[in-house]
Amino acid sequence: MAEKAKIAILISGRGSNMAAFVYAAKSPNCPYDIVLVASNDPEAPGLRLAEAESIATFAHPHKGMTREDHDDIMHDAILRSGAEYVVLAGYMRILSDGFVKKWSDRMLNIHPSLLPKYKGLDTYQRAIDARDNVAGCSVHLVTPELDDGPVLAQTEVAILPDDDADSLASRTLIAEHQLYPATVAHYVTRESNPDWILQQIRDRALALEESSERLSFGSPGWRVGGEKNGKYFAYFTQRLYGEESIGLLVKTSGLDEQAALIDADPELYYSPKFLGKSGWIAIRLDTGNTDWDHIADWLRKSWQRVAPKRLTKMAAIADQF
């Protein structure tokens, strides 16, 4: 099994969602370890549970501090723990923009409504007052705007005729305990998922001028130019030509550059079996920590090596502005 992702959980109270993560993480197949439970309240009951389960804890009160200063303290504690992801589980603090940006695409939250409905507080009563048939919960990425990040998963919870806010909340909490750990497990393993990796490449390749996708020996490839005279500038490799790893094939300037790249970082680059003799390079994408800006740069460089001159001239002019 691949190395497990490390997550830090932030709480402010009893930590019932945190407890769901603790017990989910006990499964040998769980793809994450909890390396820290932290709180803005040193008396939060959830801290005692985490300590009893031999999980490292940290607490620092926020009273008397600016939001930014307190967030800096929490950020430092998370970094020291080695966490790669932050999971908000009843953390009753609005986070500063700076903190959110530091954990962009690496911080998740659960909200007790079917977003984008009922952002903010009093979600249960608002759903009842609106005469909705269902309420529910949503797991989303955290962005600076409250409850506005991309939704990753949702669970609907039926609203019964005699429900009040408390009864609806108690059932929704059960749904949260099921949804949240499963969604985080899926999210932290996405970078080793072939379908997710392929979509990341596709989005970046097709953003290049006059690029199109076409299968080559059963594997997706990307071309630039017309339908008849287009040239390939990239291929997705998943057992393509017998390769075992998942990767991206792009054109280098030649065998010298190819050899230099492999010598410099043999864990990232390798010579593809079929195209290596013509100077193509393979970049591994199944390590779980792909630098997608680096991949985008490689796609553009490879595109430039085969694109018609009229396109490369236009791109060079655009880059000046």
Side-chain angles (χ1 to χ4, degrees):
M1 185 175 179
E3 184 176 348
K4 294 188 176 187
K6 299 177 177 61
I7 68 172
I9 302 178
L10 304 189
I11 65 172
S12 290
R14 59 179 178 166
S16 66
N17 264 308
M18 179 270 294
F21 277 96
V22 168
Y23 302 127
K26 289 179 180 287
S27 169
N29 295 322
C30 183
Y32 56 76
D33 282 326
I34 303 168
V35 296
L36 179 70
V37 172
S39 180
N40 61 310
D41 181 1
E43 301 302 319
L47 293 173
R48 294 195 295 274
L49 171 61
E51 290 167 354
E53 295 290 352
S54 301
I55 298 171
T57 62
F58 175 83
H60 197 287
H62 63 270
K63 292 183 179 180
M65 301 186 68
T66 66
R67 193 178 308 280
E68 290 75 14
D69 286 347
H70 186 262
D71 284 355
D72 284 345
I73 290 172
M74 300 300 284
H75 175 69
D76 289 343
I78 295 167
L79 288 183
R80 289 196 304 272
S81 75
E84 302 160 295
Y85 295 89
V86 176
V87 172
L88 305 181
Y91 189 60
M92 305 305 292
R93 294 278 295 162
I94 295 176
L95 297 165
S96 63
D97 288 358
F99 184 90
V100 172
K101 289 176 182 177
K102 289 173 183 175
W103 292 98
S104 177
D105 295 328
R106 297 273 172 171
M107 181 159 54
L108 295 83
N109 184 43
I110 192 159
H111 183 73
S113 79
L114 297 174
L115 293 172
K117 278 188 170 184
Y118 313 131
K119 299 176 182 180
L121 301 175
D122 301 321
T123 59
Y124 311 111
Q125 191 61 53
R126 289 158 68 189
I128 293 171
D129 291 344
R131 299 183 182 277
D132 291 346
N133 292 322
V134 295
C137 51
S138 306
V139 178
H140 65 95
L141 295 177
V142 178
T143 58
E145 187 171 347
L146 183 66
D147 300 329
D148 196 53
V151 173
L152 302 177
Q154 295 180 319
T155 296
E156 291 185 349
V157 176
I159 299 178
L160 304 180
D162 59 347
D163 263 334
D164 58 20
D166 289 339
S167 62
L168 181 56
S170 65
R171 289 201 313 285
T172 303
L173 188 60
I174 297 171
E176 290 183 17
H177 294 170
Q178 301 295 314
L179 179 67
Y180 207 1
T183 302
V184 170
H186 183 268
Y187 190 74
V188 301
T189 56
R190 73 198 186 287
E191 292 191 23
S192 59
N193 183 303
D195 292 337
W196 186 87
I197 292 170
L198 173 57
Q199 190 59 49
Q200 303 310 303
I201 300 171
R202 178 178 287 130
D203 291 345
R204 290 161 175 80
L206 294 179
L208 298 168
E209 295 83 347
E210 293 191 19
S211 63
S212 60
E213 183 172 328
R214 178 183 290 185
L215 289 178
S216 175
F217 293 92
S219 187
W222 293 271
R223 295 161 29 113
V224 59
E227 179 66 24
K228 293 184 178 180
N229 60 358
K231 295 182 179 180
Y232 283 98
F233 64 90
Y235 299 94
F236 176 69
T237 172
Q238 185 186 6
R239 297 185 173 86
L240 178 64
Y241 309 126
E243 302 288 356
E244 294 184 2
S245 63
I246 299 173
L248 171 68
L249 274 58
V250 288
K251 288 181 69 70
T252 67
S253 59
L255 293 175
D256 287 344
E257 183 183 13
Q258 180 202 70
L261 290 166
I262 295 171
D263 286 344
D265 194 347
E267 298 297 319
L268 179 62
Y269 298 104
Y270 62 93
S271 175
K273 292 180 180 179
F274 186 75
L275 295 174
K277 292 182 180 179
S278 56
W280 286 70
I281 194 80
I283 308 172
R284 286 197 61 185
L285 301 177
D286 53 4
T287 62
N289 57 357
T290 299
D291 182 343
W292 289 104
D293 289 336
H294 181 65
I295 296 303
D297 289 342
W298 260 115
L299 284 167
R300 175 159 285 277
K301 285 192 294 186
S302 189
W303 176 92
Q304 290 172 334
R305 288 187 171 116
V306 301
K309 288 185 178 180
R310 62 179 177 81
L311 288 180
T312 57
K313 287 180 180 179
M314 291 171 56
I317 292 171
D319 289 342
Q320 294 175 4
F321 296 95

